[in-house]
Amino acid sequence: LSVVAILFHFNFGMDPISCPGSNFPYLCEAIHAFILRNKSMSNDQWQKFRIKLWDITDKESTVDCAILKTLQMKSLFQHGISYIRYLFTIGLNDIYTVQYAVLVLEHCYLNSFEHFDLELAIQLMNHVLSMYKSFPKFFTEQKAIVLCLCGNFKECSSMWSTISNRSIECRVISIFFIAACRYEKARWIWSLEIEGPFTLSASCHMEMLKYLKVVLQKNGELESLKELDNYVEFYDRSQCLTFDESAVESFKNYFASFPKIKWAVDCGIVTDDGCCSCCGGRLKQLTVSDEDFDSMKEEAFRGVRFQSLAKAFASFRQFLSENAPFDVVVDGYTTGSLGGPASNDVQLKRIEDLIRLLKSELNFKNVLLITRQRLMHSDLLHEMAKLYSVTNIFASDACLIDAALNSGKDCYIVSSEMPNLVWDKFNDQCQLNFLRWKEMRWICSEHAVLNSSHQSTLQMPKPLCPNVEKNGDHGYHFRFVLTGNDDTNNKTKNIMCVRILKE
């Protein structure tokens, strides 16, 4: 997105933030160029510069928002703190400007802590609390952020239930976590009741590490390990894997710093059968409970109906009522194209080979093939599977998901790509369960080496493992990704194995 688009779509609750529209690129360039020429700014200099910018736009609040946004985007936090101080001298009354001031202070706290000014943060907190009385819905997020920046966790707890917007909760959870670590109040974060999935940023792990070292130095090994266990339990509930190589190296140093307990810390992989290659221990496997599956299934069916024509949906449901359940559902719509464009006969041969592999290698009995009408004439396919024809890829994906869900938790899907629903109304937990279910039941047809004499040309899904887990009573397993990445789809095999060395 362009800078203009970012400002136009930057929302904080009720209304879009006031922005300078098409003039913003000029404002941004002018602001950035001026700041680069002035390493420090007095209030008089800010005032003169601010007046000059009025020639580009006719609103003072637009100028203030543009300056603060530019300083935040360019990570010029020393100037950002200076400008907020200046605004307090002339009156910080515009609601959009206050929101941008909180944004600058938040990013300064996260990314340039040496420039963070607690006294200014408290001043801004009191200002936000005052404005919150008049605009409660408008300043919910800002109130939560400034409270935690100032270490007021008791007040944060009292308003936690009011933060009902999931995007707000996901945004603030990382800054809550980091602030709790810095104020040595990590136990407060463990007490939060968080419904649904959440994500910790990579920075959270580094802040937790600093906190664990402080506890180790102040209170000893056992207390530090208790907090480590709390962190492991909390992080295990998060949605995305954000523990990276930097965290691995830092945690190695943490374990090496124990004066009495000696640790072995090794890096390996998760094996195909779900074990740690370092210690041989079997990792816990992620599952979807019966209750979560039923809830997710109902949500997914709404997406299937949305993605299907009413007549086609009714016809397919009638087909399922007469033929389901299946133990595997095959995407013949795209499988015939594997290996590149080909004639109908070649595509048909590819699908026949795939079905034969499923039945002979993986011992599937009840197979459903979703395919194109022109491939429905094969007597061999009719002998090996039930067939249903669709007219487009969207209908194919909807039928694959519908048939698999109707067949129960143990049904697999075979396709070249994981099928999707054009549906964005899942709640967060159902969305997570839906993605997890697809990962657990999806067999990639591209792994099939058709007409091959090799065995095991089709691979069953690998076990899904948690982000982190305790390894018995005296160890831990941390899965990690390459620095700068995350693992929304749970595909990484990298693992850090931590265990106590017995004397």
Side-chain angles (χ1 to χ4, degrees), residues 194-210:
I194 305 176
E195 297 181 2
F198 62 91
T199 297
L200 293 180
S201 67
S203 300
C204 290
H205 306 299
M206 305 305 289
E207 290 297 331
M208 173 50 58
L209 176 66
K210 295 175 185 177

Side-chain angles (χ1 to χ4, degrees), residues 234-407:
F234 187 81
Y235 175 44
D236 183 41
R237 291 158 50 199
S238 67
Q239 179 175 0
C240 293
L241 178 61
T242 51
F243 200 88
D244 59 22
E245 293 170 297
S246 298
V248 168
E249 293 305 314
S250 297
F251 270 79
K252 282 183 179 180
N253 294 332
Y254 163 68
F255 286 111
S257 67
F258 275 63
K260 296 180 180 179
I261 302 175
K262 302 304 178 185
W263 301 89
V265 183
D266 300 297
C267 290
I269 63 169
V270 180
T271 62
D272 288 345
D273 57 353
C275 295
C276 171
S277 64
C278 300
C279 67
R282 182 169 294 278
L283 303 175
K284 183 174 68 176
Q285 294 186 18
L286 298 177
T287 60
V288 177
S289 68
D290 291 343
E291 181 181 356
D292 285 342
F293 178 79
D294 290 340
S295 176
M296 176 269 294
K297 182 169 67 173
E298 290 303 315
E299 286 282 334
F301 284 163
R302 293 171 60 200
V304 169
R305 286 194 294 269
F306 175 80
Q307 195 160 312
S308 308
L309 296 174
K311 185 176 180 180
F313 176 77
S315 173
F316 186 63
R317 277 300 175 88
Q318 180 63 33
F319 172 85
L320 290 179
S321 68
E322 297 171 357
N323 296 281
F326 303 97
D327 49 11
V328 65
V329 183
V330 182
D331 173 16
Y333 194 87
T334 59
T335 298
S337 301
L338 292 180
S343 65
N344 284 351
D345 289 342
V346 173
Q347 291 189 31
L348 180 59
K349 184 64 167 59
R350 291 170 178 168
I351 296 174
E352 289 173 345
D353 289 342
L354 176 61
I355 301 298
R356 189 181 295 109
L357 285 172
L358 288 169
K359 295 181 75 72
S360 62
E361 286 194 6
L362 301 182
N363 201 32
F364 285 114
K365 304 298 184 183
N366 302 317
V367 181
L368 170 62
L369 175 67
I370 308 293
T371 189
R372 303 168 190 261
Q373 178 62 41
R374 66 174 183 265
L375 302 179
M376 292 282 287
H377 66 275
S378 169
D379 292 336
L380 180 57
L381 284 180
H382 280 283
E383 291 177 9
M384 295 189 294
K386 294 290 184 181
L387 275 60
Y388 192 86
S389 66
V390 293
T391 57
N392 58 67
I393 188 64
F394 297 106
S396 175
D397 281 359
C399 288
L400 286 168
I401 292 170
D402 197 17
L405 289 173
N406 265 298
S407 297

Side-chain angles (χ1 to χ4, degrees), residues 469-500:
E469 67 176 22
K470 287 202 68 175
N471 180 15
D473 295 329
H474 306 294
Y476 305 88
H477 284 126
F478 287 82
R479 290 170 59 240
F480 67 92
V481 294
L482 299 179
T483 300
N485 297 329
D486 63 26
D487 186 44
T488 305
N489 292 322
N490 207 291
K491 292 183 180 298
T492 187
K493 286 189 172 184
N494 304 314
I495 192 167
M496 179 177 74
C497 178
V498 182
R499 55 199 185 278
I500 289 180

Side-chain angles (χ1 to χ4, degrees), residues 441-487:
R441 313 316 296 176
W442 176 50
I443 300 173
C444 182
S445 57
E446 288 188 345
H447 291 165
V449 184
L450 304 181
N451 297 319
S452 171
S453 59
H454 296 88
Q455 294 183 349
S456 301
T457 54
L458 278 173
Q459 299 177 5
M460 297 295 285
K462 302 293 189 298
L464 298 186
C465 301
N467 295 336
V468 61
E469 67 176 22
K470 287 202 68 175
N471 180 15
D473 295 329
H474 306 294
Y476 305 88
H477 284 126
F478 287 82
R479 290 170 59 240
F480 67 92
V481 294
L482 299 179
T483 300
N485 297 329
D486 63 26
D487 186 44

Side-chain angles (χ1 to χ4, degrees), residues 9 40 74 163 166 261 375:
H9 293 90
S40 61
K74 302 296 184 181
I163 306 178
R166 182 59 54 194
I261 302 175
L375 302 179

